[in-house]
């Protein structure tokens, strides 16, 4: 009887051990093996001996190994899901694999879920899991982005998500990304209407020789896209163009600087014309090289005279005035409609001229333009700064001046993200970053500690038991192996402390780990908040704002809750 009880006890103990360390595994087999597209051919990926967390490393694989991915394995343990791809071990490491298979962490590559998630936009990965067809398409996209002249015979684009991923991986400048997207958009439009001809079409055909492949009917047969690709390309292109135009006045703090910025736009299809249309809206100009003395941007003759008389009170009625309006065909074929007025504001003559080029020049304390058409050249000199240019230079200073001087009022009376933006503009160091195409500001604990603290403690995720202490209940993973949970915060004497636990997400052991407190930033220190946003967000009540804070351990909770 005693022996029987002993056996039962042993079984119960073994069951408890099994239950305590139990894990679940789910396997998704690929009917057709997938491949890995390496953005940089010299990069490598670690291969593990098994699909389990903390598995032994076997070696590394690269582009030349041409491995086949057979399945995706989800391994659940300790309430965490760990995913790996099963591959067939290539010749280069086959002697090290215990079986014919090896495993790579899903975290090391961009799979389908990663590519579809907009929240992963800032995470840099250099490999994509793709099908055979997508692998071929990825190669074509890479050539198109880096060396368009090498794409001569055909171009097929179906997966916009992969195009977007490769664009962000291979082209670092936001402005360069915009140029690539705009050029591709115009290529798609040219395929729809191959008879279109202007200086930009000529430049596109020279830069992209694949456009020279036409059939007997004159159609461009070498470029193929699907409806989904075209729709997503158009949506992103429109968003980028609109944001660029709205933020253009903030690209320099001086009109001289804006002249340089504007004159760079000649390399972007139709962008000079679009920006000119935006900046000249409601403009009143004296003009040389044209038959009238003044040009006013409006479609009303009476309104044009009223505007002009306010600026030129001694206006000579014998001096002729004309209105102008920009015409276009779905973003191409830009023309200027000129209507010459009589002394009563009635149209006495109208003509339409095709715009060949536009350049900017500094004129007084504003921005003037040289316009070349198919019929003549004329120069526009502003009598006043147009409304859309008011945010530039002195106009932007006035915007900043209108922000309250008390940062507590800014936080109290605005949406949280708008408060971050306004604090950055009012008190931060920075401005427009040409490479990023964003406004970038820094708030440093060296001189803005209390501002940083209030942005932290008034974050919706932070609870305050008293003014300078409270709870911070978060749990998140930094990567596939390190997990952090936090419990509380406090701020004594100009120092912010956060208490929490940092541990391995997949530890084999269940021991208790004691929470520890860490100093994150302090008054007079070197830590900082970096705040980024598109210039167009300045007019928004709920702007999209990017937040960056670099730290380690439990202090990474600041980035987690404030991003």
């Amino acid at each position: 009887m005693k022996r029987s009880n002993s056996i039962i006890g042993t079984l119960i103990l073994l069951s408890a051990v099994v239950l305590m360390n139990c894990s679940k595994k789910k396997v998704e087999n690929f009917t057709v093996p997938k491949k890995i597209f390496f953005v940089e051919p010299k990069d490598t990926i670690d291969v593990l001996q098994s699909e389990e967390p903390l598995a032994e490393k076997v070696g590394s694989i690269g582009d030349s190994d041409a491995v086949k991915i057979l399945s995706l394995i989800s391994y659940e343990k300790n309430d965490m899901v760990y995913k790996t791809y099963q591959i067939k071990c290539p010749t280069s490491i086959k002697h090290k694999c215990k079986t014919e298979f090896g495993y790579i962490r899903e975290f090391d590559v961009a799979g389908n879920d990663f590519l579809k998630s907009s929240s992963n936009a800032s995470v840099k990965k250099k490999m994509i899991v793709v099908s055979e067809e997508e692998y071929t398409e990825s190669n074509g996209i890479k050539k198109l982005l880096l060396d368009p002249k090498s794409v001569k015979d055909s171009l097929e684009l179906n997966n916009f998500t992969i195009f977007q991923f490769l664009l962000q991986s291979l082209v670092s400048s936001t402005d360069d990304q915009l140029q690539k997207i705009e050029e591709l958009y115009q290529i798609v439009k040219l395929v729809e209407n191959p008879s279109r001809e202007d200086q930009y079409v000529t430049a596109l055909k020279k830069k992209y020789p694949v456009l020279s492949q036409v059939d007997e009917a004159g159609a461009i047969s070498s470029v193929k896209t699907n409806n989904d690709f075209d729709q997503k390309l158009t949506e992103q292109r429109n968003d980028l163009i609109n944001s660029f135009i709205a933020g253009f006045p903030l690209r320099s703090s001086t009109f001289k600087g804006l002249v340089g910025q504007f004159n760079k736009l000649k390399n972007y299809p139709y962008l000079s014309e679009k920006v000119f249309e935006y900046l000249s809206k409601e403009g009143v100009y004296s003009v040389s090289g044209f038959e009238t003395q003044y040009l006013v941007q409006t479609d009303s003759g009476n309104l044009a005279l009223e505007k002009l008389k306010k600026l030129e009170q001694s206006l000579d009625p014998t001096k002729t005035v004309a209105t102008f309006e920009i015409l276009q065909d779905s973003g191409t074929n830009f023309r200027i409609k000129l209507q010459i007025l009589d002394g009563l504001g009635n149209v006495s003559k109208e003509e339409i001229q095709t715009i060949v080029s536009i350049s900017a020049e500094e004129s007084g304390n504003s921005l003037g333009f040289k316009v070349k058409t198919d019929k003549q050249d004329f120069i526009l000199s502003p009598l006043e700064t147009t409304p859309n240019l008011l945010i530039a230079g002195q106009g932007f200073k006035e915007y900043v001046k209108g922000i309250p001087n008390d940062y507590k009022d800014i936080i109290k009376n605005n949406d949280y993200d708008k408060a971050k933006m306004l604090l950055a503009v009012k008190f931060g160091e920075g401005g427009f970053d040409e490479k990023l195409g964003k406004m970038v500001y820094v708030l440093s604990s060296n001189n803005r500690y209390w501002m940083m603290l209030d942005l932290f403690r008034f974050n919706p995720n932070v609870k305050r038991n008293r003014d300078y202490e409270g709870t911070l209940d978060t749990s998140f993973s930094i990567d596939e192996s390190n997990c952090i949970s936090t419990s509380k915060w406090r701020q004594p004497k100009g120092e912010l402390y956060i208490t929490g636990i940092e541990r391995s997400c997949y530890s084999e052991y269940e021991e208790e780990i004691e929470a520890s407190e860490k100093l994150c930033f302090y008054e007079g220190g070197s830590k900082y908040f970096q705040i980024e946003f598109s210039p167009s967000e300045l007019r928004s009540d709920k702007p999209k704002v990017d937040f960056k804070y670099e730290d380690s351990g439990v202090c990474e909770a600041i980035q987690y809750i404030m991003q």
Side-chain angles (χ1 to χ4, degrees):
M1 183 68 181
K2 288 182 179 180
R3 183 178 180 183
S4 175
N5 288 339
S6 176
I7 292 172
I8 292 171
T10 301
L11 289 173
I12 292 172
L13 179 61
L14 286 172
S15 298
V17 171
V18 170
L19 286 171
M20 191 170 66
N21 291 284
C22 69
S23 59
K24 298 178 183 178
K25 184 167 74 171
K26 178 183 177 183
V27 180
E28 178 188 349
N29 292 310
F30 300 135
T31 307
V32 179
K34 294 184 178 291
K35 302 179 72 172
I36 302 174
F37 181 80
F38 287 76
V39 178
E40 298 291 345
K42 294 182 180 179
D43 287 343
T44 59
I45 309 176
D46 290 342
V47 179
L48 307 178
Q49 196 72 258
S50 75
E51 73 273 22
E52 295 191 13
L54 309 178
E56 176 190 357
K57 176 182 173 181
V58 174
S60 300
I61 56 170
D63 185 46
S64 60
D65 289 302
V67 300
K68 293 182 178 180
I69 298 181
L70 308 175
S71 62
L72 173 63
I73 301 172
S74 300
Y75 190 89
E76 186 177 343
K77 186 171 185 178
N78 297 342
D79 296 324
M80 297 293 295
V81 178
Y82 177 81
K83 294 183 179 181
T84 55
Y85 288 104
Q86 184 187 63
I87 66 169
K88 193 166 185 178
C89 279
T91 304
S92 62
I93 59 170
K94 196 170 185 178
H95 62 287
K96 294 182 180 179
C97 296
K98 290 182 180 179
T99 67
E100 61 179 313
F101 305 116
Y103 301 84
I104 60 175
R105 294 174 297 187
E106 186 205 34
F107 185 77
D108 289 337
V109 293
N112 195 49
D113 290 343
F114 178 91
L115 291 173
K116 288 182 178 180
S117 174
S118 59
S119 63
N120 289 324
S122 62
V123 182
K124 301 297 181 186
K125 292 180 184 285
K126 292 293 185 181
M127 304 90 178
I128 327 173
V129 175
V130 291
S131 66
E132 185 74 41
E133 294 79 11
E134 290 168 342
Y135 187 88
T136 302
E137 183 176 341
S138 299
N139 264 320
I141 292 172
K142 184 176 179 180
K143 289 180 181 178
L144 182 75
L145 294 172
L146 299 182
D147 184 17
K149 288 188 181 296
S150 68
V151 183
K152 297 179 180 179
D153 299 325
S154 64
L155 175 65
E156 187 166 350
L157 300 168
N158 297 307
N159 193 317
F160 184 76
T161 306
I162 290 179
F163 169 79
Q164 189 177 36
F165 173 84
L166 291 175
L167 177 69
Q168 293 172 347
S169 299
L170 296 167
V171 183
S172 58
S173 165
T174 303
D175 286 356
D176 289 344
Q177 290 177 10
L178 171 61
Q179 182 177 0
K180 295 290 185 183
I181 285 180
E182 179 64 16
E183 288 175 349
L184 183 55
Y185 174 82
Q186 294 301 334
I187 287 173
V188 172
K189 291 301 177 184
L190 192 58
V191 171
E192 295 175 0
N193 180 19
S195 63
R196 202 178 89 212
E197 287 292 344
D198 59 33
Q199 73 272 24
Y200 292 119
V201 171
T202 301
L204 276 177
K205 288 181 176 179
K206 185 177 180 180
K207 186 172 182 178
Y208 296 91
V210 70
L211 292 172
S212 63
Q213 304 293 328
V214 296
D215 59 21
E216 294 179 356
I220 300 173
S221 56
S222 51
V223 179
K224 297 187 184 330
T225 58
N226 59 25
N227 290 334
D228 182 67
F229 187 95
D230 292 350
Q231 181 181 343
K232 289 176 180 175
L233 173 67
T234 300
E235 289 173 356
Q236 181 164 2
R237 176 259 184 187
N238 290 343
D239 287 344
L240 289 173
I241 288 287
N242 292 337
S243 178
F244 181 94
I245 293 172
F248 182 83
L250 290 170
R251 288 185 160 248
S252 176
S253 60
T254 66
F255 287 112
K256 182 178 180 179
L258 283 181
V259 168
Q261 289 288 331
F262 186 92
N263 292 336
K264 290 179 182 179
L265 303 182
K266 60 185 179 182
N267 297 322
Y268 298 71
Y270 311 104
L271 194 52
S272 295
E273 292 86 342
K274 292 185 180 76
V275 174
F276 169 72
E277 181 181 20
Y278 176 79
L279 297 181
S280 64
K281 188 175 181 181
E282 300 182 34
V284 181
Y285 300 89
S286 63
V287 58
S288 60
F290 188 62
E291 60 184 279
T292 68
Q293 186 175 354
Y294 300 103
L295 275 179
V296 183
Q297 200 289 304
T298 179
D299 57 1
S300 166
N302 290 328
L303 182 59
L305 292 179
E306 287 177 15
K307 281 182 143 189
L308 198 50
K309 286 175 181 177
K310 286 180 181 178
L311 298 172
E312 296 282 309
Q313 295 180 359
S314 57
L315 179 67
D316 185 345
T318 63
K319 301 294 185 184
T320 50
V321 180
T323 64
F324 74 94
E325 182 182 357
I326 303 300
L327 307 177
Q328 57 169 292
D329 298 330
S330 301
T332 65
N333 188 25
F334 280 80
R335 300 166 318 266
I336 184 167
K337 182 171 79 171
L338 300 155
Q339 293 183 324
I340 299 174
L341 309 177
D342 61 21
L344 298 175
N346 299 314
V347 178
S348 62
K349 181 181 175 182
E350 177 180 304
E351 59 181 295
I352 296 176
Q353 301 179 16
T354 299
I355 296 174
V356 176
S357 66
I358 304 174
S359 60
E361 61 179 16
E362 194 174 7
S363 179
N365 192 29
S366 193
L367 203 64
F369 299 94
K370 292 180 180 179
V371 181
K372 180 181 179 64
T373 73
D374 59 339
K375 295 180 180 179
Q376 63 190 118
D377 301 353
F378 48 87
I379 298 174
L380 301 179
S381 302
L383 299 185
E384 66 174 354
T385 300
T386 59
N388 286 335
L389 270 171
L390 282 176
I391 200 171
Q394 187 60 39
F396 184 64
K397 292 177 183 177
E398 291 299 320
Y399 175 88
V400 176
K401 189 177 178 181
I403 302 173
N405 292 320
D406 188 338
Y407 73 87
K408 292 182 181 294
D409 287 342
I410 296 174
I411 296 174
K412 179 181 177 181
N413 298 322
N414 290 279
D415 168 82
Y416 184 71
D417 279 332
K418 184 166 186 179
K420 281 194 290 190
M421 181 184 75
L422 294 177
L423 284 176
V425 172
K426 184 75 172 182
F427 303 103
E429 297 179 4
F432 182 80
D433 187 301
E434 185 174 340
K435 186 175 180 180
L436 293 176
K438 294 180 178 181
M439 307 296 286
V440 180
Y441 291 92
V442 166
L443 294 172
S444 172
S445 61
N446 181 52
N447 56 359
R448 301 296 184 195
Y449 168 80
W450 295 99
M451 207 173 291
M452 291 171 62
L453 176 69
D454 274 9
L455 273 177
F456 166 80
R457 70 191 188 102
F458 287 105
N459 181 279
N461 297 287
V462 176
K463 308 302 179 187
R464 301 184 304 279
N465 300 335
R466 299 177 184 172
D467 279 348
Y468 295 109
E469 66 178 61
T471 58
L472 178 60
D473 188 11
T474 66
S475 182
F476 58 98
S477 59
I478 303 171
D479 50 38
E480 284 291 287
S481 57
N482 294 317
C483 285
I484 288 176
S485 58
T486 61
S487 56
K488 59 184 179 180
W489 67 276
R490 68 187 183 95
Q491 192 278 147
K493 299 180 181 179
E495 298 174 335
L496 175 65
Y497 290 88
I498 292 179
T499 298
I501 295 172
E502 182 179 10
R503 61 182 175 81
S504 168
C505 301
Y506 308 105
S507 174
E508 294 289 336
Y509 306 100
E510 302 291 337
E511 79 276 12
E512 286 289 330
I513 300 176
E514 188 174 341
S516 60
E517 184 180 67
K518 183 180 178 183
L519 172 63
C520 297
F521 60 83
Y522 58 90
E523 188 174 11
S526 59
K527 292 293 184 180
Y528 60 89
F529 290 170
Q530 183 164 310
I531 297 167
E532 304 175 1
F533 53 89
S534 167
S536 59
E537 299 297 334
L538 286 166
R539 296 184 177 90
S540 174
D541 288 330
K542 293 188 175 182
K544 296 178 182 177
V545 178
D546 293 328
F547 174 89
K548 294 179 181 178
Y549 172 78
E550 293 186 5
D551 212 321
S552 61
V554 297
C555 292
E556 291 190 64
I558 297 173
Q559 170 68 24
Y560 176 72
I561 65 169
M562 293 181 66
Q563 63 184 341

